[in-house]
Each structure stands twice: as structure tokens, then as C-alpha cells.
Amino acid sequence: MADTPDGRAVATRQLQVETHGLDVIKDAEHKGTPRTLFWPWFGANVSVLGLSYGAFALGFGISFWQALIAGVIGIVFSFLLCGFVAVAGKRGSAPTMVLSRAAYGVRGNRLPSVISWVLTVGWETVLCALATMATATVFDRLGWGGGTATKVVALVVVGALTVVGGVMGFDLIMRLQTVITVVTGVLTVVYIGLVADHIHWSTVSALPAGSAQEFIGALVFMMTGFGLGWVNAAADYSRYLPRSSSSRGVIGWTTFGASVAPLLLLVFGLLLAGSSSKLNAAVAADPIGALTTILPTWFLVPFAVVAVLGLVGGAVLDIYSSGLALLSAGIRIPRYVAAFVDGVLMIAGSIYIVFFADDFLGQFMGFLTTLGVPIAAWCGIMLADLALRRRDYDDGDLYRPIGRYGDVPLTPLLLTVAATALGWGLVTNSAASWLTWQGYLLKPFGLGGKSGAWAYANLGVLAALALGFLGTLALTRRRVRTQEAQTPSPADEGAAV
């Protein structure tokens, strides 16, 4: 027997590769309570990368208080969106990108599935690369060599941990995240205590305030860097819960578990970055490694542990969900094979970032903003569709193109395309040369063009979210009512199709 995180005694099960893919989790396999959602979400977001977001926020040219408010609103609101999407998981007992078929149709949903897959693979690549660079920086400071050989070994170790977790699946991930939560949480508190004397409030409080546009830009960046990077996977970890679980509990524990660590880390990160312009600039090149420069030598190895575990915690959830998104996009392979394929792509992308890319922050911000727009559009459509439904999903029709949810309904697809086109027209990123085509609506809308005051406010993310949500509420209410008026379909038959 063993105790679960919520204190219940259950029989200890032997770890094995998860066989579930896109199928609905049967009632007999439902387990846990909403409280158990705290562990995967906290473990995935307790990374010391949260400290670096303090420097990222101040990079918008705003004051400490503006950055703090933008961070709090951006983090909590974006993870609240995750909490709402997680409710769909317990109502439908299927992965996020399968439940999305109710809004997009069975094959029409392949469009957001591909976007979700690209986003999660991108995130796991970024986290793997950061863990590799952080390890190399620590070894360099210790005099153990931080060159190519160290980076290669670190990349192999980090990549192996991430891929094994993704391939094994749900049970190992839940256990791994519990360990990561405890170890990383304790060591992060120690880190904060060791570098607290580097904070100079007089310097931090003297930072000049920025404009409203710069504040909004920081707020949107925090949204895309935190919750909007997870919304497309939020139901993947609530689908095992009993359908009778409290929806409020699902929303509350998801939001709380995901937000609490980033909020605390952001505050301290703002204080550190605001106290030293040198550290603030160094974070842009090596977001994790730069944090070692103010540490005593004896804590470098524990810091490497906390950095790698925290980043692996996020990467493991991403690779698990990216595998599910790949299957939902129409690839017919087992889930664990999909996770392995994504792991290979993750390692290849990490090699590019670690050994060839010169400007990490510029490319990172460009990646977040660009994919944040279509994901925000999908999130708005998904949330509005969920709000319109009064009954649980029909299990069989989620897999049947001729069922109630349809095959390729045009309304959600056209809304997604329109919201994305609108969003990309209202965002810019000059640090990434491959994104200079964006921002094409800033001048026609009277917002000053690509060099005006609104250029870096990233309004496009908010516009895409709003258009997707309001458009779905206005245009699909009758469609949802018609669907829910039909009698339940044979679930097993639909799943087989």
C-alpha cells in the first residue's frame, strides 16, 4: 500500500508504459481527486526559469510595480484559462485535442492539433536547451569544463529523462512531478536565501515607469509565456478524474498549482533583475546560467539539480501532450512512439539552440508571440464551446466523422483563420528577422505602424482570444443545442472508428 498526495491509501501499482492514446478513459480506470492536479502543475512550473521572467518583464521598459502587476494578472489569468479547459478533461475523459473535436469536427480538428503539436514540441525544445546550457555554465564556473563535451553529455542526460517520462506516460509523470515538486521547491527556497543580499530596493524602486502600451506588452508576454503555453494540454491530466469530480475543484487546483511557484519566482526575479542591469542583460543570453553568477561556489551543483529538474518537469508534460497532439493530427502510431518521435525532434532543436543560435531571447519571444496568436484563438473557441454545453461529451461521436460533431465544420475553422490573421497583424518582434512580416494591421488601424507606440503591446494575442470566444458564442449556439438534443451514440463503436 502507498499514500497518494491527497492522503488516501491505495495499492501500489507497478510502473509500465501507458497504453492509452486518444481513447476515452473508462470509468473503472478513473482515479484521484481535483487536489491531485496540484502536483503535475506545480512541478511543471516551479522551474527557476520563472526568475528570469523578471528580467524579461523589465525588458519592456516598465517599473517594478508595473511589471509585478502585469505578471500577476498575466500568470493567474492565463492559468485560469487552463483550469477551465481542464474541466473538459473530467467531463470527457479524453485528451485535450480530442475534446476539441466537439468544436472543430473530427477531421477539422487536425488544424488546431498541428498548431498544438508545434507549440508543445517548441516548448519542450526550449526547456531542454535551457537545461543543457545551465549545466554547462555551472560546470564552467566549477572549473570542470563547460565546453562542447559537457553540453553534449548534459543534452543526452536531459533528453533521456524527458523522453523516458513522455514514453512511459501518465503514472510515471505523476510520480515524477511529485518528486520534482519537493526537491525543486526546497532547493529554490535555499537559492533565494543565498542571493537575497544582492537585492537593492533603492535601485529597484527607482526604475522609471513605462507607458500603457509597454505595460500591456509585458502582460501579454507573461500570458503567452505561462498559461497560454499550456491551455492546449490542460485536459490531458484531468481526464483520469471521475466525472463526478468538482468542476470548481478542477479549476481551483489547476490554477493554484500552476500559478503559485511562478508568482513567487517572478517577484524575486524582478527584485534581482531590477537591482543589477548587468544581470538583467545576461539573462537574455542565458536565462538560467546567468543566475549562477551571483551564487557561492558550493551551491552550484545543487543549483544545477534544481535547474535541470525544474526544466525537465515542464518538458516531460510537454512531450507527453505533444505526442497526443501528433496522434490527434491524424498520425496513426502508438502514443509512446509519438512521444519518442517528438523526443528526437526536441533533441535536434536543442542542438540548434545550444550550438548554433546566437540570440536566444529574440527567437524565444518571437516563437511565443507567433504561436500564441493561433493558440489564443483556439482557446477562445474551445472555452466558448465548453461554456455552451450543458451535457458531457458524447464519447462515440468524438471519433466518428458522421456523428453529431461533424467532420469539417467551416465556422470554427474560419474563425480560427480570421482571428489568427487579425492577431498576427497586431503583433511585432524586431529581434526575430523571420517575423518582420507581422504587424501589417497596426498602421491601417491607426496604431502607429510597426514603429509606433503600440508596436510591442502584442494586442494580437488578446484580439485573437476575444474574437474566437465571442464569435463562437454568437455563431454556434444553435449548433450545440442541436447536438445535445440527439440521443447518445454507442461509445465503443465510435471509439473503434
Side-chain angles (χ1 to χ4, degrees), residues 303-368:
F303 177 84
V305 172
V306 70
V308 169
L309 282 180
L311 294 168
V312 166
V316 165
L317 261 65
D318 275 318
I319 198 171
Y320 179 75
S321 292
S322 69
L324 294 173
L326 184 61
L327 299 181
S328 185
I331 304 300
R332 295 175 178 267
I333 54 178
R335 183 207 60 80
Y336 53 86
V337 175
F340 181 78
V341 170
D342 290 349
V344 173
L345 294 175
M346 173 192 73
I347 293 174
S350 298
I351 290 173
Y352 170 74
I353 294 176
V354 172
F355 296 103
F356 301 103
D358 296 325
D359 175 22
F360 172 81
L361 183 58
Q363 308 303 320
F364 179 55
M365 292 180 69
F367 165 74
L368 287 181

Side-chain angles (χ1 to χ4, degrees), residues 13 15-23 25 29 31 95 165-173 236-237 239-240 320 324 334-337:
R13 299 194 309 166
L15 281 176
Q16 55 186 349
V17 176
E18 181 187 3
T19 57
H20 288 298
L22 299 185
D23 52 313
I25 305 301
E29 298 181 71
K31 54 191 173 183
V167 168
M168 290 296 291
F170 183 84
D171 285 338
L172 177 60
I173 288 174
D236 295 350
Y237 306 97
R239 64 185 176 132
Y240 277 90
Y320 179 75
L324 294 173
R335 183 207 60 80
Y336 53 86
V337 175

Side-chain angles (χ1 to χ4, degrees), residues 4-259:
T4 62
D6 62 345
R8 297 181 299 108
V10 297
T12 302
R13 299 194 309 166
Q14 184 177 1
L15 281 176
Q16 55 186 349
V17 176
E18 181 187 3
T19 57
H20 288 298
L22 299 185
D23 52 313
V24 172
I25 305 301
K26 303 301 182 183
D27 290 346
E29 298 181 71
H30 287 176
K31 54 191 173 183
T33 66
R35 191 186 308 173
T36 59
L37 293 174
F38 172 86
W39 300 99
W41 286 109
F42 186 92
N45 291 283
V46 71
S47 166
V48 291
L49 178 61
L51 292 168
S52 300
Y53 272 86
F56 297 161
L58 292 177
F60 282 85
I62 55 180
S63 69
F64 167 82
W65 291 111
Q66 286 178 312
L68 179 61
I69 295 171
V72 171
I73 296 175
I75 291 171
V76 174
F77 177 70
S78 62
F79 280 125
L80 184 62
L81 298 180
C82 291
F84 288 132
V85 174
V87 171
K90 74 98 177 179
R91 288 179 62 178
S93 303
T96 313
M97 299 314 297
V98 169
L99 300 172
S100 177
R101 293 174 178 177
Y104 281 88
V106 175
R107 287 190 290 185
N109 189 62
R110 291 179 179 179
L111 173 63
S113 293
V114 170
I115 297 171
S116 174
W117 176 73
V118 173
L119 179 64
T120 46
V121 169
W123 260 113
E124 69 204 39
T125 300
V126 167
L127 296 175
C128 181
L130 286 174
T132 301
M133 292 189 292
T135 303
T137 301
V138 168
F139 273 56
D140 182 60
R141 278 207 60 198
L142 289 170
W144 297 349
T148 301
T150 300
K151 292 177 181 177
V152 169
V153 173
L155 181 56
V156 169
V157 173
V158 172
L161 287 172
T162 303
V163 172
V164 168
V167 168
M168 290 296 291
F170 183 84
D171 285 338
L172 177 60
I173 288 174
M174 294 296 282
R175 299 187 192 187
L176 181 64
Q177 296 299 77
T178 302
V179 173
I180 289 175
T181 295
V182 175
V183 175
T184 308
V186 171
L187 292 178
T188 300
V189 171
V190 176
Y191 174 88
I192 291 175
L194 290 173
V195 300
D197 60 343
H198 289 269
I199 295 174
H200 306 290
W201 176 247
S202 59
T203 304
V204 175
S205 60
L207 292 173
S211 65
Q213 294 91 333
E214 290 167 332
F215 170 82
I216 294 173
L219 186 152
V220 174
F221 178 75
M222 301 303 286
M223 288 177 58
T224 55
F226 287 99
L228 279 181
W230 288 110
V231 287
N232 53 312
D236 295 350
Y237 306 97
S238 56
R239 64 185 176 132
Y240 277 90
L241 292 177
R243 296 194 181 189
S244 59
S245 300
S246 165
S247 295
R248 290 185 178 181
V250 171
I251 295 170
W253 283 107
T254 298
T255 306
F256 175 68
S259 299

